[in-house]
Amino acid sequence: MAERFFKKEVQKLYLSDGQEFRGEGILAVTKALLQSGVSYVAGYQGAPISHLMDVLTDANDILMELGVHFEHSASEATAAATLAASVNYPLRGAVTFKSTVGTNVASDALANLASGGVIGGALVIVGEDYGEGSSIMQERSHAFAMKSQMWLLDPRPNLPSIVQAVEQGFALSEATNTPVMLELRVRACHVHGRFIAKDNVRPSFTLKDAMENPVRDASRIVLPPGSFLHEHEKIEKRWPAAQKWIREHHLNERFADGTQDFGIILQGGMYNAVVRALELLGLGNAFGDSQIPLYVLNVTYPLIDGEVKDFCAGKRAVLMIEEGQPDFIEQNLHSILRKADLPTKIHGKDMLVMAGEYTAAVVTKGILKFVEGYAPHLIGAQELPTVVKPAAKSDMLPVLQGQVQPRPPSFCTGCPERPIFTGLKLAERELGPHHVASDIGCHLFSILPPFNIGAHTMGYGLGWASAAAFNTNETSRRTISFMGDGGFWHNGLTSGVGNAVFNQSDSVLVIVDNSYTAATGGQDILSSHASNPIRTTKLSIADAVRGVGVKWIKTITRTYDVAAVRDIFKEALTTKVKGPKVIVAQSECALNEQRRLKPLVKKRIDEGQRVVRERFGVDADTCTGDHSCIRLSGCPSLTIQPNPDLLRQDPVATVLDSCIGCGVCGEVAHAARLCPSFFRAEVISNPSAWDRMKAKFRNAVINLLQRRIDRRLARITA
């Protein structure tokens, strides 16, 4: 159950030649694939291209009409290996995944693919997740493109450029027998715009044709001596062919050439930020009209030596705007110009930050510094934008820094993963601390307050593998590893569970089973409980683990039962049974559950049916102000408020209206033997006559008792 549906939007994929397409970048990519005659598409979801997989899923009927095969791949490696269909056959194929973690997983398949080459167009659409909003290590796809010599496209972030990049990416791949990478940043994926559509193209050579007329070419397989010949082919044939094709088809663009004796070279993906910066500095406008020459690299690898020299000839200096580090392109420019003996000075990281996201503010400061050095008369000092002015000192800043608290990311309200870590903390109160290996997924939030659990994470599905070195018989203490159900099916079953069984590891693995790959948008996986018409679901993680050879397996089907979770941890950490131990902790992702239930509840309410919603609260008179409930839960709906008792100063706990009634706070209070201040309430929509009568009776009793208390207080104060 994906977090977003495109059932209505995918109807735009039927637009024909000459009609105007309006929509989001991801949808435009899908339309471009169909216009290009793609035969097959595969991928693994991950920001910022998760929605591309969701669009393809919702467009599956359209794909089938065109004979396009689409798969949700088990991993990025699976997706990349799918491109093998283009090695021997004129089939156009595309795969998609998140970078750079996705590219790392797919690296073996991609390296083999790039070495042997392809006949059909092979396009790798990479979601370039670099910058302040990224959830991964700060690396770039550029290094991988250079390493394996795959051509890298980085189009300007507008729909016509993105569509053109998809179409030309296939053509470039076929013209050079080389797979092509197309990187799309977050803003490119979600930019809205329009372009003139073309007809969808049904592949002239189909998957059926390939299967019924199989061919092979042993020289395309990476095996000596062929692998040595592949390297020579890359340099002597493919590289020159790519440079020639890119130049002849004008993939890179130049704007405002000849207006100044200095200029800017930029990655295509940086175009919008540069245009905005020029507008702020009075050197351009929002429509892209610039007073400074621009050379836009819609292809960032390989660079076209002739184009670079043509642009730089006669210029005193150029500024290279290259987001991220190392400065691969800037170094390449130095090499090209020095070999050509051109005196043009190259600036880049000396005027822009070496690392970090190139926002409009960062780019504006860099361009200002560059232009002030070569044409200060172009800058109106009185009209400079706020982003480049020195920050005014404020007496409030130290106060704010002391008062505004950091807000680390945490589990959602009602998340079934939170009580798992509460149970572990309670178990460690009795058994002492243990080494905990974390994994990629929502459960990684456990490393942050209030849980502070987890020592490291090495990759998706590698939680148990990352604790492998601690498999020693010199101590009776066991390590604890975590892994999500998404990571389990992605990589963990073999790299984690299989490895632990093979090496007779006496440690504990917790598989957090929330029924989806929740961290990537809630897509279905093999163990999802929901029925999926085009995928196999409802398979058992416990059965899969048992099939690999694990003997000690415990399953808890309601993780909100904190006491039960605590007891399972205690048993796993103290049992005399040797060998790998697996706990499968099951409860549906709260967000997906709410997406599934809210429309049904709303429908029932609108129809006048009786609907009961549970929520929890705190009795302020009973709460002691200890706040252990918050330290052991961390639920966003659980906070504090002033104590209503004037004789007590400690604030008391309270539950906000965002509570969805999961019951964890009450379960924690019970399991941890905290104060009994939590209560459960029922919010009833469309109450029945019996409900109204009960409410009336309760209110009467409460009012009676309250009046007695008020009279007693009045006598005391008299």
Side-chain angles (χ1 to χ4, degrees):
M1 183 179 183
E3 65 181 358
R4 183 175 170 188
F5 298 99
F6 295 86
K7 288 294 186 182
K8 293 182 180 179
E9 288 93 333
V10 296
Q11 298 306 310
K12 298 176 184 178
L13 301 177
Y14 283 116
L15 292 176
S16 57
D17 188 42
Q19 293 183 297
E20 186 178 68
F21 178 103
R22 291 173 178 259
E24 193 177 15
I26 285 296
L27 201 64
V29 171
T30 311
K31 176 60 174 167
L33 291 173
L34 300 183
Q35 293 178 176
S36 301
V38 69
S39 294
Y40 62 95
V41 188
Y44 192 86
Q45 60 276 350
I49 51 81
S50 288
H51 284 167
L52 179 53
M53 297 299 294
D54 298 336
V55 168
L56 290 164
T57 299
D58 289 336
N60 192 62
D61 291 343
I62 302 172
L63 300 180
M64 292 179 67
E65 291 175 17
L66 294 168
V68 180
H69 176 66
F70 166 60
E71 281 197 1
H72 270 276
S73 304
S75 70
E76 296 87 349
T78 306
T82 306
L83 290 172
S86 297
V87 171
N88 293 307
Y89 305 99
L91 296 168
R92 286 187 166 184
V95 299
T96 183
F97 40 74
K98 175 191 184 83
S99 76
T100 54
V101 288
T103 309
N104 291 341
V105 174
S107 59
D108 200 5
L110 292 178
N112 277 274
L113 186 75
S115 182
V118 295
I119 293 176
L123 189 66
V124 182
I125 303 172
V126 176
E128 187 74 352
D129 195 12
Y130 182 90
E132 296 175 3
S134 173
S135 61
I136 61 172
M137 69 291 290
Q138 294 297 275
E139 295 181 358
R140 299 164 57 193
S141 300
H142 199 99
F144 191 93
M146 294 171 62
K147 186 269 297 180
S148 289
Q149 290 189 297
M150 297 172 61
W151 318 138
L152 180 61
L153 307 184
D154 186 6
R156 290 192 290 141
N158 61 67
L159 264 55
S161 295
I162 293 171
V163 170
Q164 185 180 40
V166 173
E167 296 173 340
Q168 292 182 328
F170 281 119
L172 174 61
S173 175
E174 291 167 345
T176 61
N177 303 120
T178 303
V180 171
M181 296 180 72
L182 168 63
E183 68 175 9
L184 296 174
R185 293 173 173 80
V186 176
R187 292 176 179 83
C189 288
H190 301 301
V191 68
H192 281 252
R194 57 188 178 180
F195 67 94
I196 302 303
K198 300 176 185 176
D199 289 333
N200 294 333
V201 177
R202 187 179 181 88
S204 56
F205 186 88
T206 66
L207 295 169
K208 175 178 178 291
D209 295 329
M211 293 175 67
E212 294 181 352
N213 301 279
V215 298
R216 61 185 296 273
D217 182 358
S219 67
R220 296 296 96 202
I221 298 174
V222 183
L223 183 70
S227 53
F228 297 98
L229 298 176
H230 295 163
E231 183 178 18
H232 287 283
E233 182 182 310
K234 283 181 178 180
I235 300 302
E236 297 168 6
K237 179 183 176 183
R238 299 189 210 167
W239 183 289
Q243 290 189 312
K244 181 174 182 290
W245 199 94
I246 293 166
R247 184 160 192 169
E248 288 179 349
H249 290 81
H250 309 289
L251 266 64
N252 297 320
E253 301 170 284
R254 288 164 71 165
F255 300 96
D257 212 1
T259 54
Q260 305 291 342
D261 62 352
F262 57 92
I264 298 174
I265 302 176
L266 60 141
Q267 296 167 300
M270 290 287 97
Y271 178 79
N272 289 4
V274 170
V275 167
R276 176 58 176 159
L278 293 173
E279 180 186 10
L280 290 173
L281 294 171
L283 301 173
N285 60 30
F287 301 100
D289 299 319
S290 172
Q291 297 179 27
I292 299 176
L294 304 177
Y295 175 37
V296 181
L297 298 175
N298 293 314
V299 182
T300 53
Y301 184 80
L303 294 186
I304 312 305
D305 295 26
E307 289 185 356
V308 172
K309 289 184 284 190
D310 289 346
F311 181 76
C312 294
K315 289 185 173 62
R316 289 182 290 158
V318 294
L319 173 66
M320 179 66 233
I321 298 181
E322 175 184 10
E323 185 178 55
Q325 53 82 34
D327 51 352
F328 297 118
I329 303 176
E330 186 177 338
Q331 293 179 39
N332 201 342
L333 290 178
H334 277 288
S335 175
I336 293 171
L337 296 187
R338 298 300 81 86
K339 288 179 181 178
D341 200 25
L342 286 175
T344 306
K345 188 173 179 59
I346 299 174
H347 295 282
K349 299 299 183 183
D350 58 332
M351 293 190 171
L352 290 147
V353 294
M354 183 67 184
E357 185 177 356
Y358 278 11
T359 61
V362 171
V363 173
T364 302
K365 293 176 183 177
I367 292 178
L368 175 62
K369 187 175 181 180
F370 175 66
V371 176
E372 284 182 333
Y374 289 92
H377 62 279
L378 295 177
I379 302 297
Q382 303 302 319
E383 301 174 0
L384 288 178
T386 304
V387 294
V388 298
K389 292 179 179 178
K393 291 186 177 180
S394 172
D395 295 335
M396 286 300 296
L397 186 60
V399 177
L400 289 174
Q401 289 176 337
Q403 295 294 324
V404 179
Q405 299 299 315
R407 296 183 62 190
S410 184
F411 299 102
C412 302
T413 300
C415 177
E417 301 183 15
R418 178 182 291 106
I420 297 173
F421 299 99
T422 300
L424 176 55
K425 288 185 75 73
L426 293 176
E428 287 192 328
R429 281 185 174 182
E430 301 178 39
L431 303 177
H434 291 71
H435 179 86
V436 178
S438 302
D439 205 327
I440 303 299
C442 297
H443 43 88
L444 189 57
F445 291 139
S446 63
I447 68 171
L448 301 171
F451 300 111
N452 302 306
I453 291 175
H456 50 73
T457 178
M458 290 291 107
Y460 198 28
L462 295 177
W464 212 359
S466 67
F470 299 102
N471 184 23
T472 175
N473 57 10
E474 295 182 358
T475 177
S476 60
R477 190 166 289 263
R478 291 166 177 146
T479 61
I480 306 167
S481 302
F482 283 88
M483 185 188 300
D485 46 356
F488 172 81
W489 293 115
H490 177 276
N491 190 28
L493 179 58
T494 52
S495 298
V497 180
N499 181 72
V501 172
F502 183 69
N503 290 291
Q504 300 179 7
S505 175
D506 186 32
S507 56
V508 179
L509 169 68
V510 182
I511 301 176
V512 181
D513 179 10
N514 58 25
S515 299
Y516 310 90
T517 46
T520 65
Q523 292 81 8
D524 284 335
I525 50 179
L526 285 162
S527 52
S528 294
H529 294 171
S531 297
N532 191 313
I534 62 173
R535 302 284 179 258
T536 297
T537 55
K538 303 182 181 180
L539 298 185
S540 168
I541 289 178
D543 287 349
V545 170
R546 193 175 291 110
V548 174
V550 178
K551 300 293 190 296
W552 196 100
I553 305 171
K554 299 290 183 180
T555 300
I556 181 168
T557 57
R558 183 177 174 273
T559 61
Y560 297 110
D561 188 342
V562 176
V565 173
R566 175 201 60 197
D567 293 343
I568 285 182
F569 272 117
K570 289 168 60 178
E571 181 182 354
L573 294 170
T574 59
T575 180
K576 300 299 182 181
V577 177
K578 296 295 183 181
K581 283 157 279 290
V582 173
I583 300 170
V584 182
Q586 296 178 336
S587 276
E588 184 180 9
C589 167
L591 279 182
N592 268 20
E593 184 181 38
Q594 291 299 305
R595 291 188 189 108
R596 181 170 55 80
L597 295 179
K598 277 186 176 181
L600 301 177
V601 171
K602 183 178 184 302
K603 181 181 178 182
R604 291 179 60 193
I605 292 175
D606 292 343
E607 292 174 349
Q609 297 184 44
R610 180 178 182 270
V611 175
V612 180
R613 180 174 71 89
E614 291 185 346
R615 61 156 298 172
F616 281 72
V618 176
D619 183 355
D621 293 330
T622 308
C623 178
T624 64
D626 175 68
H627 304 149
S628 291
C629 53
I630 295 176
R631 292 195 297 272
L632 286 168
S633 171
C635 179
S637 67
L638 189 60
T639 184
I640 58 174
Q641 68 176 7
N643 200 315
D645 188 341
L646 299 179
L647 298 178
R648 294 189 295 167
Q649 295 185 352
D650 291 334
V652 296
T654 188
V655 180
L656 303 177
D657 288 338
S658 58
C659 171
I660 64 172
C662 71
V664 167
C665 50
E667 296 275 0
V668 170
H670 173 72
R673 298 179 178 86
L674 303 177
C675 61
S677 57
F678 286 92
F679 64 85
R680 181 177 64 85
E682 292 181 346
V683 180
I684 303 176
S685 300
N686 300 321
S688 64
W690 175 242
D691 292 325
R692 292 190 179 93
M693 187 175 71
K694 286 192 296 182
K696 187 175 182 180
F697 176 74
R698 288 168 179 162
N699 288 334
V701 173
I702 291 172
N703 289 334
L704 176 64
L705 296 175
Q706 186 62 49
R707 284 195 295 270
R708 291 176 59 186
I709 294 174
D710 292 341
R711 286 196 297 270
R712 188 166 67 245
L713 290 175
R715 288 197 299 271
I716 293 174
T717 56

